[in-house]
């Protein structure tokens, strides 16, 4: 294929449209540098970019990860820390990045092509020509502060994860799975002891080797103007060509030209201890090396096999190990693209004393299954399910092909054939694999899983290790302080100060102002149309063709039904259920009810379907199903059942709702299994500092009536134990309670239906609901009134309504750092006139490289700080995430907000523009897909009773906010989170830090 346009350096390598989705995929290659670009065309306001470098390193120095951070510290022509992110906020954009073992990816999300095009070359310059200064390395990677303690952004980040169960097990697995000489063995995030000795020169060397345009692939999604894109990239290449290594020089392609991975020659089982006070439950990881990841047929077969083995509670491993034998709370799997696909199973919450037997049982179950006939019907169900899922994902996920593109770039053939084979059709599934014989499937499973060599890691909790880590670290720091002496520490502190001064050189406004904020009309917002029936009409009767469609079907339906029309091959059928009528003392049953909802037997006519049959049929007939709180529909105190089905299965989704709500059987054996599974997961969720902080907040600030509190980890810890003993001593009592619970839930007045679908394709959109109505015994002429939905704000505790009387510190053996939240009262209404100023104030404070970032993250005081408000509860929050000293971080945040109130720190007019553009982006984010745009429109208009043009009006108001109004908002609303008499402070932290915290 020829080159594109006149002046561009790019050649079109391939361009095709998959036969199951409308998005076109085009790949270009630069003749000048070898850079690659893959564009996926799709509609909507948002564009997404992934800039992927294949990165291979053979040590734990953390050079790849530190580089990922350092690229944001300035580039050849923009030698300012934070320039890129400041520009991003002005261009309706957000940036992020991650480091995987085999690649580093920089991401860009933008509302509108104009903004995307503006920032693209600047961002790429930061990646290809970053400044990588010594002072940047000092503050971002690691340093010693004025107290002789270790700090630095990457260092703190790794401190938070290095000694977690997940990380310790993962690292040991890698070491066993990959031989010396393979880059897959290493922790590319960096181990703490190695980060302390990593030099700037090593980082620069790694950048020189790996960050070349010929090792870079851009994957772009959205309404991309191809011609302008290639023009922009060609200009960019010309601007950097003098500064990069000669593209003609030979280059060893990472991974592919490295030593080939050898298959495992033996199996290994090892115990890995992790720090944890509660020693009752551990975790098991089992890994295999699977088929070549460029072999599209075998990787497709693998997807099907994994669904067959562990894709649902009816699948072999789940069903035996979790449901029947209750040896683990779950069997999960992930696959990672490598030259050889890495298959990882993990068994969660396994009794510590039984881990060895459970690991053996895992293989026994597999081997036993291979000796018997396979369930070919179920296997073909899994195959169809996989095809449906791929189709659904390609329609709903904004960046659906990104994993394929990245894997192809890292390991695929460079002529584009691998990408095409993996994405163009689903024929591998629907033709080739459909024809596989039972023997072929068995051979595949024995080769790659049941009889394959593997690495098993038994993760064992150890309270001694928790103690040891703490003691060792305290000793190390003590030695360090001693060795440095006061003079040494002073030198470190001086060095840090100088580095910070150099990093924080102010960005001249003129440089930033050169980039004009693109007008909002360059952003293509989408509009969705509604139609309503029954009490839903109270939100107004839409005047459009879809309203006519639903009224022609059945005008007299008494159910509340709201339709949101989008062009789609799938229907999303939602039922929102009010919990107002559920007796408060029964609300702690919610976790069990939710978990049981799709997982108990069902009465259909005269027969009882086993729960396995229920799950098998659900998997066969739907794309997805879930039950959770209705937070996504705008009310966190309601429940939400959602089915995603092919549009012709609309009535099937409604039938399932009816059956699962009214005809499920609370079977004792199943309830015991479900309860012990939930209980087994409690210690695990009590391990994370972040989770525990949330759990404490929910317990303290919500009343027992609240669903949020009833579902929280700490309520579960208490009630599930009670239910466990009750299930033994008086099982009927639990079953009766669940029946009462169900009766109070399944009432006409509690139900609101929300359907997101293509109304031109939906058969009987309204009359189909008679199936549900028939259970409800409702007089169609005179239906009873609807029950209120119940609001979070009416379900707060005393402390939640009047914060300022308590603060709690929770020491935890499982965390190395500290987490903090402070909560005060905030606004409670979406049309509060104070809201626009508050929105701008939050957006300004939270901006990347903004005031909080600079004061807290920039000084190494925490990995992150965020301020937020929650209108449903009427709370203001500040959260400090992963900090060596959370109180110090809070203090720094207090000072920075105070300085903005009293004017000692002036507001930067360019950053104010950026803050407003971030608000525009948040509106565009609601429209990441057509389905999410439809739901957002429902929430706004029906749930919140806001006008159709709320977004436009709000954007106008936000633009008119003055600095005085922001200051007033900071002083009168925001600052309450820092006033001890108005706010509750909660902190979870490492045991050693608790003493420090309670003194501060
Ligand atoms: Zn990081």
């Amino acid at each position: 294929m020829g080159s594109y346009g006149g002046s561009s350096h790019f050649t079109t390598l391939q361009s095709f449209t998959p036969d199951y989705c409308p998005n076109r995929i085009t790949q270009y290659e630069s003749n000048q540098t070898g850079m690659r670009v893959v564009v996926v065309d799709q509609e909507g306001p948002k564009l997404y970019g992934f800039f992927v470098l294949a990165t291979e390193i053979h040590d734990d120095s953390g050079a790849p990860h530190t580089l990922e951070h350092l690229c944001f510290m300035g580039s050849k022509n923009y030698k300012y820390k934070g320039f890129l992110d400041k520009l991003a906020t002005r261009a309706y954009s957000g940036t992020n990045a991650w480091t995987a073992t085999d690649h580093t990816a920089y991401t860009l999300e933008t509302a509108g092509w104009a903004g995307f095009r503006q920032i693209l070359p600047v961002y790429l310059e930061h990646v290809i020509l970053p400044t990588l200064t010594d002072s940047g390395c000092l503050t971002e990677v690691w340093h010693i502060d004025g107290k002789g303690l270790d700090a630095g952004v990457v260092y703190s980040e790794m401190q938070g994860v290095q000694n977690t169960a997940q990380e310790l097990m993962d690292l040991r697995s890698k070491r066993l799975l990959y031989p010396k000489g393979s880059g897959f063995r290493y922790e590319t995030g960096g181990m703490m002891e190695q980060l302390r000795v990593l030099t700037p020169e090593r980082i620069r060397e790694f950048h020189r080797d790996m960050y070349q345009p010929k090792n870079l692939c851009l994957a772009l999604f959205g309404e991309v103007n191809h011609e302008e894109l290639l023009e922009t990239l060609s200009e960019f290449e010309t601007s950097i060509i003098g500064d990069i290594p000669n593209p003609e020089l030979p280059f060893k392609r990472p991974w592919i030209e490295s030593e080939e991975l050898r298959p495992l020659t033996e199996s290994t089982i090892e115990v890995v201890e992790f720090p944890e006070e509660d020693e009752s439950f551990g975790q098991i990881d089992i890994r295999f090396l699977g088929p070549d990841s460029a072999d599209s047929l075998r990787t497709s077969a693998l997807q099907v096999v994994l669904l067959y083995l562990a894709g649902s509670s009816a699948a072999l491993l789940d069903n035996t190990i979790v449901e029947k034998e209750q040896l683990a709370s779950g069997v999960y799997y992930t696959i990672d693209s490598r030259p050889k696909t890495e298959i990882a199973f993990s068994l969660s919450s396994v009794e510590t004393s039984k881990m060895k037997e459970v690991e053996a049982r895992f293989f026994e179950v597999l081997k036993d299954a291979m000796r018997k006939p396979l369930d070919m019907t179920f296997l073909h169900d899994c195959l169809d399910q996989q095809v449906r899922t791929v189709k659904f994902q390609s329609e709903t996920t904004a960046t659906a092909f990104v994993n394929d593109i990245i894997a192809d770039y890292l390991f695929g053939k460079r002529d584009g054939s691998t990408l095409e084979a993996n994405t163009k059709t689903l024929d591998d599934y629907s033709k080739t694999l459909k024809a596989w014989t039972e023997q072929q499937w068995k051979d595949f499973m024995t080769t790659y899983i049941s009889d394959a060599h593997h690495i098993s890691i038994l993760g064992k909790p150890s309270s001694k290790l928790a103690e040891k880590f703490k003691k060792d670290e305290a000793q190390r720091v003590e030695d360090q302080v001693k060795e440095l002496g006061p003079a040494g520490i002073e030198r470190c502190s001086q060095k840090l100060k100088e580095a910070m001064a150099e990093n924080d050189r102010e960005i001249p406004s003129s440089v930033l102002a050169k980039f004009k904020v693109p007008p909002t009309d360059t952003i293509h917002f989408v509009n969705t149309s509604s139609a309503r029936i029954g009490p839903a009409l109270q939100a107004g009767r839409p005047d459009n063709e879809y309203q006519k469609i639903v009224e022609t079907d059945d005008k007299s339906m008494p159910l509340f039904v709201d339709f949101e029309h989008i062009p789609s091959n799938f229907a999303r059928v939602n039922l929102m259920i009010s919990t107002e009528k559920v007796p408060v003392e029964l609300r702690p049953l919610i976790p069990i009810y939710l978990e049981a909802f799709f997982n108990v037997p069902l009465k259909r006519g005269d027969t009882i379907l086993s729960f396995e049959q229920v799950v098998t049929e659900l998997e066969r007939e739907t794309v997805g199903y879930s039950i959770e709180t209705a937070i996504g529909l705008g009310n966190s105190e309601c429940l939400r059942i959602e089915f995603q089905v092919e549009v012709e299965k609309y009535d099937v989704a409604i039938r399932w709702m009816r059956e699962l709500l009214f005809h499920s059987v609370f079977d004792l054996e199943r309830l015991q299994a479900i309860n012990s599974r939930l209980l087994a997961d409690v210690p695990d969720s009590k391990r994370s500092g972040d989770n525990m902080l949330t759990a404490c907040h929910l317990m303290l600030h919500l009343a027992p009536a609240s669903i949020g509190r009833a579902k929280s980890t700490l309520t579960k810890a208490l009630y599930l134990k009670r239910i466990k003993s009750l299930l033994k001593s008086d099982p009927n009592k639990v079953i009766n309670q669940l029946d009462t619970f169900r009766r109070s839930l399944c009432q006409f007045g509690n139900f609101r239906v929300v359907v997101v679908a293509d109304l031109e394709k939906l058969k009987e959109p309204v009359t189909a609901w008679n199936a549900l109505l028939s259970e409800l015994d409702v007089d169609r002429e005179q239906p009873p009134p609807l029950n209120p939905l119940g609001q979070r704000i009416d379900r707060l505790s005393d402390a939640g309504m009047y914060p300022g009387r308590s603060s709690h510190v929770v020491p935890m053996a499982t965390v190395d750092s500290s987490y903090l939240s402070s909560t005060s009262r905030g606004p409670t209404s979406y049309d509060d006139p104070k809201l626009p100023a508050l929105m701008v104030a939050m957006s300004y404070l939270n901006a990347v490289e903004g005031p909080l970032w600079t004061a807290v993250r920039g000084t190494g005081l925490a990995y992150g700080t965020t301020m937020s408000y929650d209108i449903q509860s009427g709370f203001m929050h500040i959260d400090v995430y992963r900090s060596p000293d959370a109180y110090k971080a809070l203090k720094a945040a207090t000072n920075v907000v105070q300085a903005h109130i009293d004017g000692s720190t002036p507001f930067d007019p360019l950053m104010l523009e950026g803050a407003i553009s971030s608000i525009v982006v948040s509106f565009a984010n609601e429209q990441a897909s057509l389905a999410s745009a439809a739901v957002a429109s429902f929430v706004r208009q029906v749930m919140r009773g806001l006008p159709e043009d709320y977004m436009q009006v709000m954007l106008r108001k936000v633009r008119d906010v003055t600095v005085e109004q922001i200051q007033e908002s900071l002083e009168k609303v925001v600052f309450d989170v820092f006033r001890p008499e108005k706010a509750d402070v909660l902190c979870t932290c490492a045991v050693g830090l608790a003493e420090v915290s309670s003194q501060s």
Side-chain angles (χ1 to χ4, degrees):
M1 294 188 210
S3 74
Y4 200 105
S7 60
S8 125
H9 308 142
F10 286 82
T11 306
T12 309
L13 208 67
Q14 63 188 149
S15 188
F16 62 92
T17 306
D19 61 12
Y20 51 93
C21 91
N23 303 341
R24 186 162 195 81
I25 302 175
T26 309
Q27 179 160 209
Y28 302 102
E29 182 178 24
S30 161
N31 311 324
Q32 192 172 10
T33 66
M35 188 203 301
R36 297 211 157 206
V37 189
V38 182
V39 182
V40 180
D41 299 315
Q42 67 194 17
E43 259 184 87
K46 297 223 48 191
L47 289 110
Y48 302 84
F50 298 80
F51 313 150
V52 181
L53 298 132
T55 40
E56 179 174 359
I57 194 163
H58 292 223
D59 61 42
D60 298 316
S61 67
H65 181 201
T66 56
L67 202 46
E68 173 219 311
H69 284 253
L70 289 166
C71 281
F72 292 93
M73 299 288 284
S75 69
K76 189 183 177 218
N77 290 302
Y78 310 97
K79 290 191 172 68
Y80 304 97
K81 172 185 168 194
F83 179 83
L84 184 66
D85 283 315
K86 286 213 166 108
L87 177 62
T89 35
R90 287 169 64 75
Y92 309 116
S93 299
T95 66
N96 212 332
W98 74 74
T99 308
T101 310
D102 49 21
H103 69 274
T104 308
Y106 295 83
T107 66
L108 175 62
E109 265 188 61
T110 307
W113 168 246
F116 194 93
R117 185 191 182 192
Q118 185 184 54
I119 195 169
L120 181 64
V122 181
Y123 199 165
L124 290 176
E125 188 185 284
H126 278 74
V127 173
I128 300 295
L129 303 174
T131 50
L132 302 182
T133 59
D134 286 357
S135 52
C137 293
L138 196 78
T139 58
E140 291 307 288
V141 182
W142 170 81
H143 55 258
I144 291 177
D145 68 9
K147 282 187 178 159
L149 302 176
D150 305 85
V153 178
V154 174
Y155 189 82
S156 309
E157 185 187 340
M158 296 317 288
Q159 188 173 37
V161 296
Q162 184 161 323
N163 291 329
T164 59
Q166 199 46 57
E167 176 68 17
L168 290 166
M169 292 172 71
D170 186 53
L171 189 64
R172 192 59 201 142
S173 248
K174 282 183 196 168
R175 297 285 208 250
L176 291 169
L177 205 49
Y178 300 103
K180 289 226 167 63
S182 161
F184 290 112
R185 289 170 62 76
Y186 298 101
E187 173 47 81
T188 50
M191 305 289 283
M192 279 148 72
E193 53 279 13
Q194 301 215 24
L195 286 169
R196 290 196 292 265
V197 296
L198 178 63
T199 63
E201 194 32 59
R202 175 72 186 100
I203 301 172
R204 286 179 203 125
E205 180 193 307
F206 185 71
H207 182 270
R208 242 183 341 262
D209 292 346
M210 294 289 158
Y211 279 47
Q212 302 189 22
K214 67 168 101 172
N215 193 31
L216 172 68
C217 173
L218 316 184
L220 311 183
F221 301 78
E223 294 181 14
V224 174
N225 180 324
H226 288 239
E227 207 163 329
E228 289 180 6
L229 170 71
L230 298 182
E231 212 175 278
T232 306
L233 290 175
S234 295
E235 276 170 32
F236 168 71
E237 288 197 319
T238 308
S239 77
I240 58 156
I241 198 78
D243 294 301
I244 59 169
N246 182 354
E248 305 293 321
L249 289 175
F251 178 79
K252 191 174 138 211
R253 187 175 163 196
W255 308 114
I256 291 301
E257 291 172 43
S258 300
E259 204 176 310
E260 205 180 325
L261 285 185
R262 289 187 302 270
L264 291 173
T265 50
E266 56 176 2
S267 295
T268 310
I269 174 164
E270 260 196 35
V271 175
V272 168
E273 293 196 332
F274 60 89
E276 162 67 56
E277 250 157 39
D278 182 342
E279 295 189 337
S280 49
F281 291 97
Q283 181 184 326
I284 302 176
D285 272 15
I286 301 168
R287 299 196 191 186
F288 306 86
L289 290 178
D292 203 323
S293 70
D295 181 340
S296 94
L297 181 67
R298 283 194 174 70
T299 49
S300 299
L302 183 62
Q303 300 277 8
V304 176
V305 161
L306 290 170
L307 282 177
Y308 181 83
L309 295 176
S312 67
S313 49
L316 179 70
L317 290 166
D318 278 74
N319 195 251
T320 317
I321 291 174
V322 181
E323 304 296 342
K324 295 233 171 70
E325 301 176 4
Q326 294 162 37
L327 299 172
S329 69
V331 177
Y332 307 95
Y333 64 81
T334 52
I335 45 181
D336 237 328
S337 293
R338 300 276 188 253
K340 293 209 184 316
T341 317
E342 185 182 312
I343 309 164
F345 285 94
S346 87
L347 282 66
S348 55
S349 304
V350 178
E351 263 181 64
T352 311
S353 55
K354 286 193 194 154
M355 285 205 291
K356 240 182 153 158
E357 292 91 274
V358 176
E359 194 267 355
R361 183 72 188 131
F362 178 90
F363 285 97
E364 209 177 275
V365 172
L366 284 171
K367 290 199 161 118
D368 193 42
M370 293 307 119
R371 281 191 291 268
K372 293 178 191 156
L374 293 179
D375 182 344
M376 289 304 283
T377 317
F378 183 58
L379 196 117
H380 282 146
D381 281 351
C382 293
L383 213 158
D384 295 337
Q385 168 84 358
Q386 176 65 14
V387 170
R388 269 198 308 274
T389 307
V390 175
K391 285 185 187 167
F392 182 70
Q393 298 276 353
S394 71
E395 191 191 274
T396 44
T397 316
T399 56
F401 296 101
V402 70
N403 291 334
D404 294 298
I405 296 170
I406 294 176
D408 172 66
Y409 185 67
L410 297 177
F411 311 118
K413 296 202 184 79
R414 279 288 155 94
D415 59 3
S417 59
T418 318
L419 183 64
E420 203 157 320
N422 277 329
T423 54
K424 193 171 178 182
T425 73
L426 298 172
D427 289 353
D428 271 354
Y429 294 108
S430 50
K431 298 206 173 110
T432 321
L433 292 176
K434 201 108 210 198
W436 268 22
T437 61
E438 184 180 351
Q439 195 54 45
Q440 276 175 298
W441 285 107
K442 267 192 181 175
D443 289 346
F444 185 87
M445 291 190 223
T446 22
T447 309
Y448 292 112
I449 301 176
S450 70
D451 288 3
H453 293 308
H454 55 270
I455 304 296
S456 297
I457 301 287
L458 313 183
K460 188 177 162 210
S462 158
S463 60
K464 258 198 210 132
L465 193 63
E467 197 58 35
K468 181 181 169 344
F469 277 155
K470 197 184 125 192
K471 247 170 79 191
D472 289 357
E473 176 64 5
Q475 187 62 51
R476 190 191 63 78
V477 173
E478 201 187 311
D479 293 349
Q480 177 168 292
V481 171
K482 220 182 273 167
E483 198 180 316
L484 284 166
I489 291 176
E490 179 50 34
R491 265 198 308 281
C492 291
S493 154
Q494 196 51 38
K495 215 166 110 187
L496 178 61
K497 269 188 208 135
E498 283 161 20
M500 281 165 66
E502 195 190 320
N503 290 339
D504 294 339
R505 272 182 314 121
E506 208 173 314
I507 304 170
S509 320
S510 58
V511 185
L512 209 51
K514 260 198 339 216
F515 297 87
K516 295 273 167 279
V517 176
T520 32
D521 60 16
T522 60
I523 303 168
H524 172 201
F525 283 103
V526 293
N527 286 316
T528 58
S529 310
S530 318
R532 298 181 189 123
I533 285 290
L537 282 164
Q538 275 165 14
R541 182 178 171 277
D543 180 18
N544 61 34
E545 56 195 297
Y546 306 110
Q547 186 64 26
K548 284 190 201 105
I549 293 178
V550 299
E551 287 183 0
T552 310
D553 183 26
D554 180 4
K555 248 179 122 158
S556 67
M557 168 59 68
L559 264 180
F560 175 113
V561 191
D562 181 283
F563 294 94
E564 302 291 331
H565 168 82
I566 58 166
S568 171
N569 292 315
F570 296 89
R572 293 147 184 90
V573 188
N574 292 274
L575 183 65
M576 181 160 40
I577 311 176
S578 162
T579 54
E580 278 286 276
K581 298 288 167 191
V582 177
V584 170
E585 68 276 12
L586 294 185
R587 292 185 193 180
L589 286 171
I590 281 183
I592 298 196
Y593 182 76
L594 297 188
E595 191 67 22
F597 194 77
F598 297 106
N599 280 299
V600 288
L602 192 71
K603 198 161 180 292
R604 183 178 285 169
D606 292 332
T607 52
I608 301 268
L609 267 71
S610 71
F611 97 90
E612 287 95 339
Q613 282 170 295
V614 172
V615 174
T616 307
E617 287 191 21
L618 277 169
E619 299 277 324
R620 186 183 298 152
E621 296 183 331
T622 71
V623 181
Y625 47 90
S626 61
I627 179 165
E628 57 190 333
T629 64
I631 186 163
L633 293 176
N635 185 314
S636 39
E637 290 294 331
C638 289
L639 299 183
R640 170 195 194 172
I641 303 168
E642 181 175 22
F643 281 92
Q644 294 144 349
V645 290
E646 289 154 298
V647 73
E648 55 279 7
K649 295 254 171 71
Y650 178 58
D651 58 330
V652 176
I654 297 169
R655 190 200 78 213
W656 274 117
M657 269 187 192
R658 174 174 66 83
E659 291 193 295
L660 294 165
L661 281 167
F662 293 93
H663 301 296
S664 55
V665 179
F666 295 125
D667 172 76
L668 177 60
E669 211 174 296
R670 291 301 301 145
L671 291 179
Q672 276 166 335
I674 287 162
N675 191 66
S676 55
R677 179 163 74 223
L678 289 171
L679 199 54
D681 274 340
V682 170
D684 201 34
S685 43
K686 282 167 83 175
R687 267 167 205 161
S688 133
D690 207 19
N691 280 353
M692 273 302 282
L693 191 64
T694 308
C696 293
H697 161 67
L698 296 174
M699 284 308 275
L700 180 64
H701 293 132
L702 303 184
S706 165
I707 301 309
R709 174 165 159 158
K711 277 181 75 239
S712 84
T713 303
L714 292 169
T715 307
K716 281 199 273 192
L718 181 68
Y719 276 88
L720 295 173
K721 257 187 228 152
R722 282 191 200 163
I723 291 166
K724 185 182 179 180
S725 57
L726 210 52
L727 279 169
K728 267 196 201 121
S729 62
D730 190 0
N732 280 332
K733 185 163 179 198
V734 181
I735 292 172
N736 289 337
Q737 280 181 340
L738 276 167
D739 267 324
T740 313
F741 180 94
R742 162 160 63 186
R743 267 198 309 280
S744 62
L745 204 60
C746 298
Q747 299 175 6
F748 172 82
N750 289 341
F751 288 171
R752 318 281 196 279
V753 172
V754 187
V755 176
V756 179
D758 192 328
L759 278 165
E760 281 160 8
K761 293 182 186 159
L762 221 50
K763 259 200 349 223
E764 302 187 329
V766 184
T767 37
W769 287 98
N770 283 325
L772 184 71
L773 203 63
S774 65
E775 295 280 351
L776 288 167
D777 188 27
V778 168
D779 178 356
R780 283 184 77 108
E781 303 307 314
Q782 275 187 311
L786 294 185
N787 300 325
L789 287 175
Q791 304 296 330
R792 175 61 59 92
I793 194 132
D794 300 322
R795 297 180 179 183
L796 301 182
S797 68
D798 240 28
M801 285 187 290
Y802 310 102
R805 291 172 300 183
S806 47
S807 72
H808 299 269
V809 176
V810 184
M812 294 174 65
T814 43
V815 300
D816 275 350
S817 48
S818 59
Y819 301 79
L820 176 147
S821 80
S822 177
T823 303
S824 63
R825 298 299 301 156
T828 56
S829 140
Y830 291 94
D831 41 22
D832 188 327
K834 292 196 292 282
L835 207 53
L838 179 63
M839 284 169 83
V840 180
M842 290 293 92
S843 181
Y844 189 88
L845 287 176
N846 286 329
V848 177
E849 295 292 343
L852 281 175
W853 173 295
T854 321
V856 180
R857 181 173 162 130
T859 52
L861 284 173
Y863 188 71
T865 332
T866 324
M867 300 203 70
S868 57
Y869 57 88
D870 166 5
I871 289 181
Q872 281 192 50
S873 319
F875 288 140
M876 259 319 300
H877 295 290
I878 179 163
D879 289 286
V880 175
Y881 182 75
R882 227 194 264 159
S883 162
D885 185 344
Y887 276 83
K888 230 175 166 183
L890 182 66
K891 190 80 196 122
T894 315
N895 293 343
V896 90
V897 174
Q898 179 60 49
H900 281 85
I901 294 174
D902 63 29
S904 53
T905 304
F907 282 81
D908 174 348
L910 292 176
M911 275 178 59
L912 273 171
E913 278 182 356
I916 289 159
S917 120
S918 302
I919 295 170
V920 177
V921 173
S922 69
F923 284 122
N925 283 346
E926 290 180 351
Q927 305 201 336
S929 70
L930 280 177
S932 67
V935 169
S937 160
F938 165 77
V939 170
R940 213 163 19 238
Q941 292 185 52
V942 181
M943 297 297 287
R944 298 183 182 159
L946 299 168
E948 209 178 331
D949 62 352
Y950 177 79
M951 208 159 81
Q952 286 78 1
V953 172
M954 208 57 184
L955 285 178
R956 248 193 328 268
K957 284 189 184 162
V958 154
R959 275 185 201 295
D960 292 340
V961 168
T962 62
V963 166
E964 291 69 36
Q965 286 170 320
I966 302 173
Q967 283 174 316
E968 188 188 338
S969 170
L970 288 179
E971 185 174 3
K972 298 212 168 124
V973 186
V974 177
F975 204 76
D976 280 355
V977 292
F978 303 118
R979 294 187 169 105
E981 71 282 9
K982 298 241 175 170
D984 288 342
V985 177
L986 295 171
C987 176
T988 55
C989 60
V991 181
L993 289 174
E995 292 113 52
V996 182
S997 304
S998 51
Q999 283 160 17
S1000 312

